PDB file of all heavy atoms in Angstrom:
ATOM      1  N   ARG A   1     -18.322   4.251  -0.285  1.00 89.00           N
ATOM      2  CA  ARG A   1     -18.415   4.604   1.146  1.00 89.00           C
ATOM      3  C   ARG A   1     -19.856   5.072   1.440  1.00 89.00           C
ATOM      4  O   ARG A   1     -20.362   4.722   2.524  1.00 89.00           O
ATOM      5  CB  ARG A   1     -17.465   5.748   1.515  1.00 89.00           C
ATOM      6  CG  ARG A   1     -17.286   5.946   2.997  1.00 89.00           C
ATOM      7  CD  ARG A   1     -16.547   7.142   3.404  1.00 89.00           C
ATOM      8  NE  ARG A   1     -16.063   7.032   4.779  1.00 89.00           N
ATOM      9  CZ  ARG A   1     -16.797   7.069   5.860  1.00 89.00           C
ATOM     10  NH1 ARG A   1     -18.098   7.264   5.734  1.00 89.00           N
ATOM     11  NH2 ARG A   1     -16.283   6.967   7.051  1.00 89.00           N
ATOM     12  N   ALA A   2     -20.450   5.794   0.570  1.00 85.00           N
ATOM     13  CA  ALA A   2     -21.817   6.218   0.767  1.00 85.00           C
ATOM     14  C   ALA A   2     -22.771   4.999   0.833  1.00 85.00           C
ATOM     15  O   ALA A   2     -23.700   4.978   1.659  1.00 85.00           O
ATOM     16  CB  ALA A   2     -22.258   7.139  -0.370  1.00 85.00           C
ATOM     17  N   TYR A   3     -22.529   3.983   0.016  1.00 89.00           N
ATOM     18  CA  TYR A   3     -23.287   2.745   0.099  1.00 89.00           C
ATOM     19  C   TYR A   3     -23.140   2.110   1.474  1.00 89.00           C
ATOM     20  O   TYR A   3     -24.146   1.654   2.030  1.00 89.00           O
ATOM     21  CB  TYR A   3     -22.890   1.791  -0.980  1.00 89.00           C
ATOM     22  CG  TYR A   3     -23.267   2.152  -2.420  1.00 89.00           C
ATOM     23  CD1 TYR A   3     -22.661   1.572  -3.502  1.00 89.00           C
ATOM     24  CD2 TYR A   3     -24.236   3.154  -2.682  1.00 89.00           C
ATOM     25  CE1 TYR A   3     -23.007   1.897  -4.805  1.00 89.00           C
ATOM     26  CE2 TYR A   3     -24.551   3.491  -3.944  1.00 89.00           C
ATOM     27  CZ  TYR A   3     -23.949   2.890  -5.028  1.00 89.00           C
ATOM     28  OH  TYR A   3     -24.324   3.196  -6.333  1.00 89.00           O
ATOM     29  N   CYS A   4     -21.900   2.083   1.983  1.00 91.00           N
ATOM     30  CA  CYS A   4     -21.693   1.478   3.289  1.00 91.00           C
ATOM     31  C   CYS A   4     -22.407   2.288   4.376  1.00 91.00           C
ATOM     32  O   CYS A   4     -23.055   1.711   5.243  1.00 91.00           O
ATOM     33  CB  CYS A   4     -20.176   1.439   3.599  1.00 91.00           C
ATOM     34  SG  CYS A   4     -19.269   0.292   2.564  1.00 91.00           S
ATOM     35  N   ASP A   5     -22.301   3.591   4.312  1.00 86.00           N
ATOM     36  CA  ASP A   5     -22.963   4.454   5.328  1.00 86.00           C
ATOM     37  C   ASP A   5     -24.486   4.191   5.297  1.00 86.00           C
ATOM     38  O   ASP A   5     -25.133   4.112   6.337  1.00 86.00           O
ATOM     39  CB  ASP A   5     -22.684   5.909   5.050  1.00 86.00           C
ATOM     40  CG  ASP A   5     -21.315   6.334   5.492  1.00 86.00           C
ATOM     41  OD1 ASP A   5     -20.743   5.653   6.378  1.00 86.00           O
ATOM     42  OD2 ASP A   5     -20.765   7.303   4.910  1.00 86.00           O
ATOM     43  N   TYR A   6     -25.007   4.123   4.080  1.00 84.00           N
ATOM     44  CA  TYR A   6     -26.460   3.957   3.927  1.00 84.00           C
ATOM     45  C   TYR A   6     -26.910   2.593   4.498  1.00 84.00           C
ATOM     46  O   TYR A   6     -27.905   2.487   5.263  1.00 84.00           O
ATOM     47  CB  TYR A   6     -26.815   4.071   2.440  1.00 84.00           C
ATOM     48  CG  TYR A   6     -28.311   4.285   2.215  1.00 84.00           C
ATOM     49  CD1 TYR A   6     -28.811   5.563   2.037  1.00 84.00           C
ATOM     50  CD2 TYR A   6     -29.207   3.226   2.160  1.00 84.00           C
ATOM     51  CE1 TYR A   6     -30.151   5.795   1.793  1.00 84.00           C
ATOM     52  CE2 TYR A   6     -30.543   3.447   1.958  1.00 84.00           C
ATOM     53  CZ  TYR A   6     -31.024   4.729   1.757  1.00 84.00           C
ATOM     54  OH  TYR A   6     -32.376   4.935   1.579  1.00 84.00           O
ATOM     55  N   LEU A   7     -26.112   1.558   4.182  1.00 89.00           N
ATOM     56  CA  LEU A   7     -26.419   0.215   4.715  1.00 89.00           C
ATOM     57  C   LEU A   7     -26.375   0.214   6.219  1.00 89.00           C
ATOM     58  O   LEU A   7     -27.250  -0.343   6.885  1.00 89.00           O
ATOM     59  CB  LEU A   7     -25.447  -0.788   4.117  1.00 89.00           C
ATOM     60  CG  LEU A   7     -25.810  -2.263   4.362  1.00 89.00           C
ATOM     61  CD1 LEU A   7     -27.051  -2.667   3.604  1.00 89.00           C
ATOM     62  CD2 LEU A   7     -24.594  -3.175   3.947  1.00 89.00           C
ATOM     63  N   LEU A   8     -25.375   0.844   6.799  1.00 89.00           N
ATOM     64  CA  LEU A   8     -25.240   0.938   8.265  1.00 89.00           C
ATOM     65  C   LEU A   8     -26.386   1.721   8.869  1.00 89.00           C
ATOM     66  O   LEU A   8     -26.936   1.371   9.958  1.00 89.00           O
ATOM     67  CB  LEU A   8     -23.930   1.517   8.659  1.00 89.00           C
ATOM     68  CG  LEU A   8     -22.686   0.634   8.436  1.00 89.00           C
ATOM     69  CD1 LEU A   8     -21.410   1.469   8.427  1.00 89.00           C
ATOM     70  CD2 LEU A   8     -22.598  -0.444   9.480  1.00 89.00           C
ATOM     71  N   ASP A   9     -26.814   2.757   8.217  1.00 82.00           N
ATOM     72  CA  ASP A   9     -27.890   3.631   8.733  1.00 82.00           C
ATOM     73  C   ASP A   9     -29.218   2.934   8.788  1.00 82.00           C
ATOM     74  O   ASP A   9     -30.029   3.156   9.661  1.00 82.00           O
ATOM     75  CB  ASP A   9     -27.999   4.903   7.872  1.00 82.00           C
ATOM     76  CG  ASP A   9     -26.870   5.908   8.206  1.00 82.00           C
ATOM     77  OD1 ASP A   9     -26.233   5.771   9.239  1.00 82.00           O
ATOM     78  OD2 ASP A   9     -26.664   6.827   7.332  1.00 82.00           O
ATOM     79  N   PHE A  10     -29.480   2.064   7.780  1.00 82.00           N
ATOM     80  CA  PHE A  10     -30.829   1.524   7.637  1.00 82.00           C
ATOM     81  C   PHE A  10     -30.976   0.049   7.905  1.00 82.00           C
ATOM     82  O   PHE A  10     -32.059  -0.502   7.733  1.00 82.00           O
ATOM     83  CB  PHE A  10     -31.375   1.822   6.219  1.00 82.00           C
ATOM     84  CG  PHE A  10     -31.882   3.237   6.099  1.00 82.00           C
ATOM     85  CD1 PHE A  10     -31.067   4.260   5.708  1.00 82.00           C
ATOM     86  CD2 PHE A  10     -33.171   3.554   6.437  1.00 82.00           C
ATOM     87  CE1 PHE A  10     -31.527   5.569   5.585  1.00 82.00           C
ATOM     88  CE2 PHE A  10     -33.679   4.834   6.279  1.00 82.00           C
ATOM     89  CZ  PHE A  10     -32.823   5.872   5.889  1.00 82.00           C
ATOM     90  N   THR A  11     -29.935  -0.629   8.331  1.00 88.00           N
ATOM     91  CA  THR A  11     -30.001  -2.064   8.583  1.00 88.00           C
ATOM     92  C   THR A  11     -29.876  -2.327  10.069  1.00 88.00           C
ATOM     93  O   THR A  11     -28.821  -2.122  10.685  1.00 88.00           O
ATOM     94  CB  THR A  11     -28.904  -2.842   7.816  1.00 88.00           C
ATOM     95  OG1 THR A  11     -28.955  -2.464   6.434  1.00 88.00           O
ATOM     96  CG2 THR A  11     -29.079  -4.321   7.958  1.00 88.00           C
ATOM     97  N   ALA A  12     -30.979  -2.799  10.675  1.00 86.00           N
ATOM     98  CA  ALA A  12     -31.037  -2.892  12.162  1.00 86.00           C
ATOM     99  C   ALA A  12     -29.955  -3.882  12.658  1.00 86.00           C
ATOM    100  O   ALA A  12     -29.348  -3.608  13.728  1.00 86.00           O
ATOM    101  CB  ALA A  12     -32.415  -3.336  12.573  1.00 86.00           C
ATOM    102  N   SER A  13     -29.681  -4.914  11.953  1.00 90.00           N
ATOM    103  CA  SER A  13     -28.691  -5.944  12.406  1.00 90.00           C
ATOM    104  C   SER A  13     -27.304  -5.389  12.447  1.00 90.00           C
ATOM    105  O   SER A  13     -26.378  -5.990  13.068  1.00 90.00           O
ATOM    106  CB  SER A  13     -28.766  -7.203  11.579  1.00 90.00           C
ATOM    107  OG  SER A  13     -28.377  -6.911  10.264  1.00 90.00           O
ATOM    108  N   LEU A  14     -27.081  -4.248  11.807  1.00 92.00           N
ATOM    109  CA  LEU A  14     -25.720  -3.628  11.749  1.00 92.00           C
ATOM    110  C   LEU A  14     -25.597  -2.481  12.649  1.00 92.00           C
ATOM    111  O   LEU A  14     -24.553  -1.797  12.680  1.00 92.00           O
ATOM    112  CB  LEU A  14     -25.399  -3.238  10.329  1.00 92.00           C
ATOM    113  CG  LEU A  14     -25.322  -4.344   9.293  1.00 92.00           C
ATOM    114  CD1 LEU A  14     -25.088  -3.766   7.889  1.00 92.00           C
ATOM    115  CD2 LEU A  14     -24.220  -5.321   9.626  1.00 92.00           C
ATOM    116  N   GLU A  15     -26.616  -2.180  13.417  1.00 86.00           N
ATOM    117  CA  GLU A  15     -26.577  -1.016  14.321  1.00 86.00           C
ATOM    118  C   GLU A  15     -25.432  -1.158  15.337  1.00 86.00           C
ATOM    119  O   GLU A  15     -25.321  -2.150  16.044  1.00 86.00           O
ATOM    120  CB  GLU A  15     -27.916  -0.878  15.086  1.00 86.00           C
ATOM    121  CG  GLU A  15     -27.979   0.353  15.947  1.00 86.00           C
ATOM    122  CD  GLU A  15     -29.327   0.465  16.652  1.00 86.00           C
ATOM    123  OE1 GLU A  15     -30.294  -0.132  16.186  1.00 86.00           O
ATOM    124  OE2 GLU A  15     -29.350   1.101  17.694  1.00 86.00           O
ATOM    125  N   GLY A  16     -24.586  -0.145  15.400  1.00 86.00           N
ATOM    126  CA  GLY A  16     -23.459  -0.167  16.318  1.00 86.00           C
ATOM    127  C   GLY A  16     -22.399  -1.156  15.915  1.00 86.00           C
ATOM    128  O   GLY A  16     -21.498  -1.451  16.725  1.00 86.00           O
ATOM    129  N   GLN A  17     -22.449  -1.693  14.681  1.00 91.00           N
ATOM    130  CA  GLN A  17     -21.520  -2.737  14.204  1.00 91.00           C
ATOM    131  C   GLN A  17     -20.754  -2.257  12.935  1.00 91.00           C
ATOM    132  O   GLN A  17     -20.718  -3.018  11.987  1.00 91.00           O
ATOM    133  CB  GLN A  17     -22.248  -4.027  13.978  1.00 91.00           C
ATOM    134  CG  GLN A  17     -23.072  -4.543  15.132  1.00 91.00           C
ATOM    135  CD  GLN A  17     -22.218  -5.049  16.275  1.00 91.00           C
ATOM    136  OE1 GLN A  17     -21.023  -5.420  16.069  1.00 91.00           O
ATOM    137  NE2 GLN A  17     -22.767  -5.134  17.453  1.00 91.00           N
ATOM    138  N   GLN A  18     -20.197  -1.100  13.009  1.00 92.00           N
ATOM    139  CA  GLN A  18     -19.580  -0.576  11.771  1.00 92.00           C
ATOM    140  C   GLN A  18     -18.419  -1.437  11.301  1.00 92.00           C
ATOM    141  O   GLN A  18     -18.130  -1.546  10.122  1.00 92.00           O
ATOM    142  CB  GLN A  18     -19.070   0.845  12.025  1.00 92.00           C
ATOM    143  CG  GLN A  18     -18.493   1.488  10.778  1.00 92.00           C
ATOM    144  CD  GLN A  18     -18.227   2.956  10.877  1.00 92.00           C
ATOM    145  OE1 GLN A  18     -19.027   3.648  11.542  1.00 92.00           O
ATOM    146  NE2 GLN A  18     -17.204   3.459  10.302  1.00 92.00           N
ATOM    147  N   ASP A  19     -17.787  -2.149  12.235  1.00 95.00           N
ATOM    148  CA  ASP A  19     -16.646  -2.979  11.837  1.00 95.00           C
ATOM    149  C   ASP A  19     -17.057  -4.182  10.970  1.00 95.00           C
ATOM    150  O   ASP A  19     -16.243  -4.876  10.421  1.00 95.00           O
ATOM    151  CB  ASP A  19     -15.871  -3.481  13.081  1.00 95.00           C
ATOM    152  CG  ASP A  19     -16.739  -4.276  14.057  1.00 95.00           C
ATOM    153  OD1 ASP A  19     -18.011  -4.100  14.027  1.00 95.00           O
ATOM    154  OD2 ASP A  19     -16.201  -5.099  14.785  1.00 95.00           O
ATOM    155  N   ARG A  20     -18.387  -4.455  10.958  1.00 97.00           N
ATOM    156  CA  ARG A  20     -18.879  -5.558  10.129  1.00 97.00           C
ATOM    157  C   ARG A  20     -18.901  -5.229   8.645  1.00 97.00           C
ATOM    158  O   ARG A  20     -19.123  -6.126   7.827  1.00 97.00           O
ATOM    159  CB  ARG A  20     -20.257  -6.014  10.586  1.00 97.00           C
ATOM    160  CG  ARG A  20     -20.284  -6.630  11.946  1.00 97.00           C
ATOM    161  CD  ARG A  20     -21.653  -7.140  12.306  1.00 97.00           C
ATOM    162  NE  ARG A  20     -21.705  -7.855  13.581  1.00 97.00           N
ATOM    163  CZ  ARG A  20     -22.777  -8.441  14.093  1.00 97.00           C
ATOM    164  NH1 ARG A  20     -23.919  -8.395  13.445  1.00 97.00           N
ATOM    165  NH2 ARG A  20     -22.652  -9.075  15.234  1.00 97.00           N
ATOM    166  N   VAL A  21     -18.755  -3.954   8.294  1.00 97.00           N
ATOM    167  CA  VAL A  21     -18.953  -3.539   6.921  1.00 97.00           C
ATOM    168  C   VAL A  21     -17.693  -2.879   6.415  1.00 97.00           C
ATOM    169  O   VAL A  21     -17.047  -2.088   7.129  1.00 97.00           O
ATOM    170  CB  VAL A  21     -20.147  -2.557   6.789  1.00 97.00           C
ATOM    171  CG1 VAL A  21     -20.290  -2.068   5.373  1.00 97.00           C
ATOM    172  CG2 VAL A  21     -21.429  -3.224   7.241  1.00 97.00           C
ATOM    173  N   ALA A  22     -17.309  -3.175   5.194  1.00 97.00           N
ATOM    174  CA  ALA A  22     -16.191  -2.500   4.500  1.00 97.00           C
ATOM    175  C   ALA A  22     -16.577  -2.264   3.084  1.00 97.00           C
ATOM    176  O   ALA A  22     -17.497  -2.913   2.555  1.00 97.00           O
ATOM    177  CB  ALA A  22     -14.937  -3.348   4.598  1.00 97.00           C
ATOM    178  N   GLY A  23     -15.893  -1.354   2.398  1.00 97.00           N
ATOM    179  CA  GLY A  23     -16.199  -1.042   1.061  1.00 97.00           C
ATOM    180  C   GLY A  23     -14.931  -0.938   0.216  1.00 97.00           C
ATOM    181  O   GLY A  23     -13.876  -0.487   0.674  1.00 97.00           O
ATOM    182  N   ALA A  24     -15.044  -1.356  -1.050  1.00 97.00           N
ATOM    183  CA  ALA A  24     -13.934  -1.298  -1.971  1.00 97.00           C
ATOM    184  C   ALA A  24     -14.393  -0.945  -3.377  1.00 97.00           C
ATOM    185  O   ALA A  24     -15.354  -1.539  -3.843  1.00 97.00           O
ATOM    186  CB  ALA A  24     -13.173  -2.608  -1.954  1.00 97.00           C
ATOM    187  N   ALA A  25     -13.708  -0.023  -4.010  1.00 96.00           N
ATOM    188  CA  ALA A  25     -13.919   0.253  -5.443  1.00 96.00           C
ATOM    189  C   ALA A  25     -12.790  -0.478  -6.141  1.00 96.00           C
ATOM    190  O   ALA A  25     -11.587  -0.247  -5.867  1.00 96.00           O
ATOM    191  CB  ALA A  25     -13.853   1.713  -5.697  1.00 96.00           C
ATOM    192  N   TYR A  26     -13.177  -1.323  -7.128  1.00 97.00           N
ATOM    193  CA  TYR A  26     -12.172  -2.184  -7.809  1.00 97.00           C
ATOM    194  C   TYR A  26     -12.169  -1.820  -9.248  1.00 97.00           C
ATOM    195  O   TYR A  26     -13.107  -2.116 -10.016  1.00 97.00           O
ATOM    196  CB  TYR A  26     -12.570  -3.663  -7.606  1.00 97.00           C
ATOM    197  CG  TYR A  26     -11.492  -4.654  -8.093  1.00 97.00           C
ATOM    198  CD1 TYR A  26     -10.149  -4.284  -8.156  1.00 97.00           C
ATOM    199  CD2 TYR A  26     -11.859  -5.928  -8.493  1.00 97.00           C
ATOM    200  CE1 TYR A  26      -9.200  -5.174  -8.598  1.00 97.00           C
ATOM    201  CE2 TYR A  26     -10.894  -6.874  -8.871  1.00 97.00           C
ATOM    202  CZ  TYR A  26      -9.587  -6.497  -8.975  1.00 97.00           C
ATOM    203  OH  TYR A  26      -8.659  -7.376  -9.393  1.00 97.00           O
ATOM    204  N   LEU A  27     -11.099  -1.136  -9.687  1.00 96.00           N
ATOM    205  CA  LEU A  27     -10.911  -0.762 -11.075  1.00 96.00           C
ATOM    206  C   LEU A  27     -10.015  -1.809 -11.719  1.00 96.00           C
ATOM    207  O   LEU A  27      -8.780  -1.583 -11.907  1.00 96.00           O
ATOM    208  CB  LEU A  27     -10.292   0.629 -11.177  1.00 96.00           C
ATOM    209  CG  LEU A  27     -11.197   1.848 -10.922  1.00 96.00           C
ATOM    210  CD1 LEU A  27     -11.831   1.827  -9.506  1.00 96.00           C
ATOM    211  CD2 LEU A  27     -10.456   3.151 -11.122  1.00 96.00           C
ATOM    212  N   HIS A  28     -10.570  -2.922 -12.070  1.00 95.00           N
ATOM    213  CA  HIS A  28      -9.752  -4.118 -12.423  1.00 95.00           C
ATOM    214  C   HIS A  28      -9.051  -3.970 -13.788  1.00 95.00           C
ATOM    215  O   HIS A  28      -8.122  -4.741 -14.059  1.00 95.00           O
ATOM    216  CB  HIS A  28     -10.626  -5.369 -12.438  1.00 95.00           C
ATOM    217  CG  HIS A  28     -11.839  -5.267 -13.309  1.00 95.00           C
ATOM    218  ND1 HIS A  28     -11.806  -5.652 -14.653  1.00 95.00           N
ATOM    219  CD2 HIS A  28     -13.123  -4.812 -13.080  1.00 95.00           C
ATOM    220  CE1 HIS A  28     -13.024  -5.463 -15.207  1.00 95.00           C
ATOM    221  NE2 HIS A  28     -13.837  -4.933 -14.227  1.00 95.00           N
ATOM    222  N   ASN A  29      -9.396  -2.998 -14.586  1.00 93.00           N
ATOM    223  CA  ASN A  29      -8.739  -2.793 -15.887  1.00 93.00           C
ATOM    224  C   ASN A  29      -7.659  -1.712 -15.826  1.00 93.00           C
ATOM    225  O   ASN A  29      -6.966  -1.501 -16.791  1.00 93.00           O
ATOM    226  CB  ASN A  29      -9.751  -2.384 -16.971  1.00 93.00           C
ATOM    227  CG  ASN A  29     -10.627  -3.531 -17.429  1.00 93.00           C
ATOM    228  OD1 ASN A  29     -10.229  -4.684 -17.355  1.00 93.00           O
ATOM    229  ND2 ASN A  29     -11.801  -3.210 -17.938  1.00 93.00           N
ATOM    230  N   ALA A  30      -7.557  -1.057 -14.640  1.00 94.00           N
ATOM    231  CA  ALA A  30      -6.687   0.159 -14.575  1.00 94.00           C
ATOM    232  C   ALA A  30      -5.331  -0.190 -13.986  1.00 94.00           C
ATOM    233  O   ALA A  30      -5.172  -1.118 -13.188  1.00 94.00           O
ATOM    234  CB  ALA A  30      -7.375   1.211 -13.718  1.00 94.00           C
ATOM    235  N   THR A  31      -4.318   0.622 -14.356  1.00 95.00           N
ATOM    236  CA  THR A  31      -3.009   0.658 -13.690  1.00 95.00           C
ATOM    237  C   THR A  31      -3.000   1.842 -12.730  1.00 95.00           C
ATOM    238  O   THR A  31      -3.815   2.749 -12.871  1.00 95.00           O
ATOM    239  CB  THR A  31      -1.882   0.804 -14.682  1.00 95.00           C
ATOM    240  OG1 THR A  31      -2.030   2.044 -15.358  1.00 95.00           O
ATOM    241  CG2 THR A  31      -1.926  -0.362 -15.731  1.00 95.00           C
ATOM    242  N   ASP A  32      -2.081   1.860 -11.812  1.00 95.00           N
ATOM    243  CA  ASP A  32      -1.929   2.994 -10.894  1.00 95.00           C
ATOM    244  C   ASP A  32      -1.690   4.271 -11.661  1.00 95.00           C
ATOM    245  O   ASP A  32      -2.255   5.331 -11.328  1.00 95.00           O
ATOM    246  CB  ASP A  32      -0.820   2.743  -9.891  1.00 95.00           C
ATOM    247  CG  ASP A  32      -1.201   1.697  -8.842  1.00 95.00           C
ATOM    248  OD1 ASP A  32      -2.267   1.132  -8.972  1.00 95.00           O
ATOM    249  OD2 ASP A  32      -0.373   1.474  -7.978  1.00 95.00           O
ATOM    250  N   HIS A  33      -0.902   4.203 -12.722  1.00 95.00           N
ATOM    251  CA  HIS A  33      -0.557   5.409 -13.501  1.00 95.00           C
ATOM    252  C   HIS A  33      -1.813   5.979 -14.136  1.00 95.00           C
ATOM    253  O   HIS A  33      -2.016   7.181 -14.205  1.00 95.00           O
ATOM    254  CB  HIS A  33       0.514   5.088 -14.553  1.00 95.00           C
ATOM    255  CG  HIS A  33       0.824   6.274 -15.429  1.00 95.00           C
ATOM    256  ND1 HIS A  33       1.589   7.330 -15.000  1.00 95.00           N
ATOM    257  CD2 HIS A  33       0.465   6.494 -16.710  1.00 95.00           C
ATOM    258  CE1 HIS A  33       1.673   8.179 -15.994  1.00 95.00           C
ATOM    259  NE2 HIS A  33       1.039   7.755 -17.012  1.00 95.00           N
ATOM    260  N   GLY A  34      -2.686   5.104 -14.658  1.00 94.00           N
ATOM    261  CA  GLY A  34      -3.863   5.533 -15.388  1.00 94.00           C
ATOM    262  C   GLY A  34      -4.841   6.264 -14.521  1.00 94.00           C
ATOM    263  O   GLY A  34      -5.696   7.042 -15.021  1.00 94.00           O
ATOM    264  N   VAL A  35      -4.849   5.999 -13.206  1.00 94.00           N
ATOM    265  CA  VAL A  35      -5.812   6.626 -12.322  1.00 94.00           C
ATOM    266  C   VAL A  35      -5.064   7.310 -11.138  1.00 94.00           C
ATOM    267  O   VAL A  35      -5.604   7.325  -9.987  1.00 94.00           O
ATOM    268  CB  VAL A  35      -6.875   5.615 -11.806  1.00 94.00           C
ATOM    269  CG1 VAL A  35      -7.733   5.142 -12.966  1.00 94.00           C
ATOM    270  CG2 VAL A  35      -6.192   4.447 -11.099  1.00 94.00           C
ATOM    271  N   ALA A  36      -3.887   7.823 -11.410  1.00 95.00           N
ATOM    272  CA  ALA A  36      -3.025   8.311 -10.347  1.00 95.00           C
ATOM    273  C   ALA A  36      -3.758   9.373  -9.477  1.00 95.00           C
ATOM    274  O   ALA A  36      -3.572   9.439  -8.261  1.00 95.00           O
ATOM    275  CB  ALA A  36      -1.713   8.883 -10.895  1.00 95.00           C
ATOM    276  N   ASP A  37      -4.536  10.254 -10.142  1.00 94.00           N
ATOM    277  CA  ASP A  37      -5.218  11.325  -9.367  1.00 94.00           C
ATOM    278  C   ASP A  37      -6.132  10.785  -8.300  1.00 94.00           C
ATOM    279  O   ASP A  37      -6.329  11.429  -7.283  1.00 94.00           O
ATOM    280  CB  ASP A  37      -6.067  12.183 -10.348  1.00 94.00           C
ATOM    281  CG  ASP A  37      -5.214  13.120 -11.215  1.00 94.00           C
ATOM    282  OD1 ASP A  37      -4.006  13.161 -11.010  1.00 94.00           O
ATOM    283  OD2 ASP A  37      -5.834  13.828 -12.051  1.00 94.00           O
ATOM    284  N   LEU A  38      -6.690   9.586  -8.579  1.00 95.00           N
ATOM    285  CA  LEU A  38      -7.689   9.075  -7.614  1.00 95.00           C
ATOM    286  C   LEU A  38      -7.060   8.641  -6.303  1.00 95.00           C
ATOM    287  O   LEU A  38      -7.753   8.522  -5.280  1.00 95.00           O
ATOM    288  CB  LEU A  38      -8.414   7.858  -8.248  1.00 95.00           C
ATOM    289  CG  LEU A  38      -9.612   8.197  -9.163  1.00 95.00           C
ATOM    290  CD1 LEU A  38      -9.189   9.045 -10.327  1.00 95.00           C
ATOM    291  CD2 LEU A  38     -10.307   6.954  -9.610  1.00 95.00           C
ATOM    292  N   PHE A  39      -5.752   8.424  -6.304  1.00 95.00           N
ATOM    293  CA  PHE A  39      -5.068   8.034  -5.030  1.00 95.00           C
ATOM    294  C   PHE A  39      -4.735   9.226  -4.151  1.00 95.00           C
ATOM    295  O   PHE A  39      -4.220   9.045  -3.044  1.00 95.00           O
ATOM    296  CB  PHE A  39      -3.812   7.253  -5.347  1.00 95.00           C
ATOM    297  CG  PHE A  39      -4.098   5.849  -5.850  1.00 95.00           C
ATOM    298  CD1 PHE A  39      -3.974   5.552  -7.176  1.00 95.00           C
ATOM    299  CD2 PHE A  39      -4.495   4.869  -4.997  1.00 95.00           C
ATOM    300  CE1 PHE A  39      -4.214   4.262  -7.691  1.00 95.00           C
ATOM    301  CE2 PHE A  39      -4.776   3.562  -5.446  1.00 95.00           C
ATOM    302  CZ  PHE A  39      -4.618   3.285  -6.772  1.00 95.00           C
TER     303      PHE A  39
END
């Protein structure tokens, strides 16, 4: 999320266009149980 905020803050073509950006953390080796606290 911080990366997205930073990109939105400093990229002129994204000014006022927050819907153009999304962020995802992908823990591709994990199960839900293994990282339950993170949810």
Side-chain angles (χ1 to χ4, degrees):
R1 192 188 202 289
Y3 289 164
C4 292
D5 284 335
Y6 197 95
L7 190 68
L8 287 163
D9 284 343
F10 280 91
T11 307
S13 63
L14 297 175
E15 183 180 338
Q17 305 288 339
Q18 183 168 326
D19 59 335
R20 292 184 175 183
V21 178
Y26 188 26
L27 283 60
H28 56 90
N29 287 335
T31 64
D32 287 3
H33 177 74
V35 294
D37 285 357
L38 275 61
F39 286 104

